[in-house]
């Protein structure tokens, strides 16, 4: 476990970018697992800047999407797909043959989970997995529970996640998501986790005890041999 404490979001994002860019430079066709949300946005901005400065730097990189909500309308801008497309995929010019993604509008979520699992088994393992942390310590959509799922699966969203301001902005009720499991995440060669944002302090304090519990999914990362957890000051308030 590598813990990094940063003064602010900008410093955290810059460190994340340095870790990612060095890996891409050494392994241009690596498989990059992209998370949606605000936590990795600064990283993606710096990756786009690198693309603009050094055309061709990401021309071989492959991208796979971490998770997706179930039940959003076709025109929704809340999908993980919309988020990662607008922040990274389009801006880096990642073509369809280098992009693997849960279908945000599938009519058969279980079949879609099975398809992504098959894709991972054929194209994986993930070289770099980007993760944010929920206020209850969830990773991707792996919510606190008595046991955690290993592979891609349909996740039931917790009350904590459903009551977050982020979900309220959707305007329609949600209850499920499609997500990679903890086994998929653990098979990644390198994991970069951003611990940032208000309301994260309780989860962070529990995480720093080094006690491992399925009730705090992020704590499982203490068992991974190559994880970088980047913490900014806001998450400690």
């Amino acid at each position: 476990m590598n813990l990094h404490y940063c003064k602010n979001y900008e410093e955290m994002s810059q460190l994340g970018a340095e870790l990612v860019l060095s890996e891409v430079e050494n392994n241009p066709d690596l498989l990059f697992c992209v998370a949606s949300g605000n936590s990795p946005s600064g990283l993606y901005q710096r990756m786009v800047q690198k693309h603009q400065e050094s055309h061709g730097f990401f021309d071989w990189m492959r991208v796979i999407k971490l998770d997706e909500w179930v039940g959003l309308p076709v025109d929704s801008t809340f999908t993980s797909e919309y988020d990662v497309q607008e922040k990274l995929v389009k801006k880096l010019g990642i073509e369809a043959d280098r992009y693997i993604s849960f279908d945000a509008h599938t009519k058969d979520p279980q079949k879609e989970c099975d398809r992504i699992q098959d894709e991972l088994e054929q194209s994986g393992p993930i070289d770099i997995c980007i993760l944010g942390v929920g206020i209850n310590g969830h990773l991707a959509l792996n919510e606190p529970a008595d046991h955690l799922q290993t592979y891609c699966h349909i996740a039931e969203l917790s009350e904590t996640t459903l009551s977050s301001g982020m979900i309220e902005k959707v305007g329609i009720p949600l209850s499920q998501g499609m997500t990679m499991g903890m086994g998929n995440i653990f098979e990644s060669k390198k994991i970069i986790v951003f611990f940032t944002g208000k309301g994260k302090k309780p989860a962070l304090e529990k995480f720093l005890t080094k006690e491992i519990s399925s009730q705090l999914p992020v704590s499982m990362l203490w068992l991974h041999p190559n994880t970088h957890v980047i913490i900014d000051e806001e998450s400690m308030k």
Side-chain angles (χ1 to χ4, degrees):
M1 174 68 69
N2 301 279
L3 295 178
H4 308 271
Y5 293 92
C6 297
K7 293 180 180 179
N8 51 45
Y9 182 80
E10 288 71 27
E11 185 178 305
M12 179 185 72
S13 300
Q14 181 60 35
L15 175 56
E18 291 170 2
L19 290 169
V20 169
L21 296 179
S22 65
E23 290 291 330
V24 177
E25 188 169 21
N26 291 327
N27 183 15
D29 67 343
L30 60 74
L31 182 60
F32 183 75
C33 182
V34 60
S36 59
N38 294 327
S39 296
S41 294
L43 161 65
Y44 300 156
Q45 290 172 4
R46 285 158 177 79
M47 291 176 69
V48 171
Q49 182 179 357
K50 177 66 174 180
H51 171 69
Q52 294 169 343
E53 295 172 350
S54 305
H55 287 292
F57 189 82
F58 296 104
D59 280 1
W60 297 96
M61 189 179 77
R62 298 166 294 141
V63 176
I64 187 166
K65 190 175 67 176
L66 180 67
D67 55 22
E68 185 58 82
W69 309 104
V70 170
L72 291 176
V74 174
D75 60 350
S76 175
T77 59
F78 186 74
T79 62
S80 296
E81 184 68 21
Y82 180 87
D83 189 80
V84 301
Q85 284 282 350
E86 295 301 312
K87 291 178 181 176
L88 190 72
V89 175
K90 289 181 181 179
K91 292 181 178 179
L92 294 188
I94 304 296
E95 302 294 340
D97 63 346
R98 291 190 287 129
Y99 183 54
I100 303 168
S101 174
F102 288 98
D103 180 0
H105 309 299
T106 181
K107 301 298 183 183
D108 191 339
Q110 184 57 59
K111 185 176 180 180
E112 189 64 8
C113 289
D114 293 342
R115 182 182 70 82
I116 296 299
Q117 183 63 39
D118 288 342
E119 291 275 11
L120 275 167
E121 291 174 3
Q122 294 174 16
S123 304
I126 294 165
D127 291 287
I128 305 175
C129 184
I130 302 299
L131 299 169
V133 182
I135 60 174
N136 61 359
H138 73 226
L139 289 179
L141 293 177
N142 294 281
E143 300 276 21
D146 291 337
H147 63 274
L148 300 174
Q149 298 292 323
T150 305
Y151 299 124
C152 295
H153 63 279
I154 300 171
E156 299 295 330
L157 305 179
S158 71
E159 289 300 321
T160 302
T161 299
L162 291 171
S163 62
S164 70
M166 176 181 64
I167 295 291
E168 291 173 358
K169 295 177 182 178
V170 181
I172 64 170
L174 293 177
S175 62
Q176 293 182 324
M178 298 174 288
T179 185
M180 290 186 193
M182 293 301 295
N184 301 125
I185 292 170
F186 258 69
E187 288 170 356
S188 303
K189 296 178 183 178
K190 174 174 285 189
I191 297 173
I192 300 174
V193 184
F194 293 106
F195 235 122
T196 182
K198 295 180 179 179
K200 305 289 179 68
K201 184 178 179 180
L204 176 59
E205 289 179 340
K206 291 179 181 178
F207 170 75
L208 292 175
T209 67
K210 300 184 182 181
E211 294 180 0
I212 298 168
S213 170
S214 62
Q215 295 294 336
L216 188 76
V218 66
S219 70
M220 305 297 289
L221 294 179
W222 285 106
L223 300 173
H224 190 272
N226 191 14
T227 291
H228 291 261
V229 176
I230 309 177
I231 304 163
D232 73 353
E233 288 188 355
E234 186 177 12
S235 64
M236 295 185 282
K237 296 178 180 178

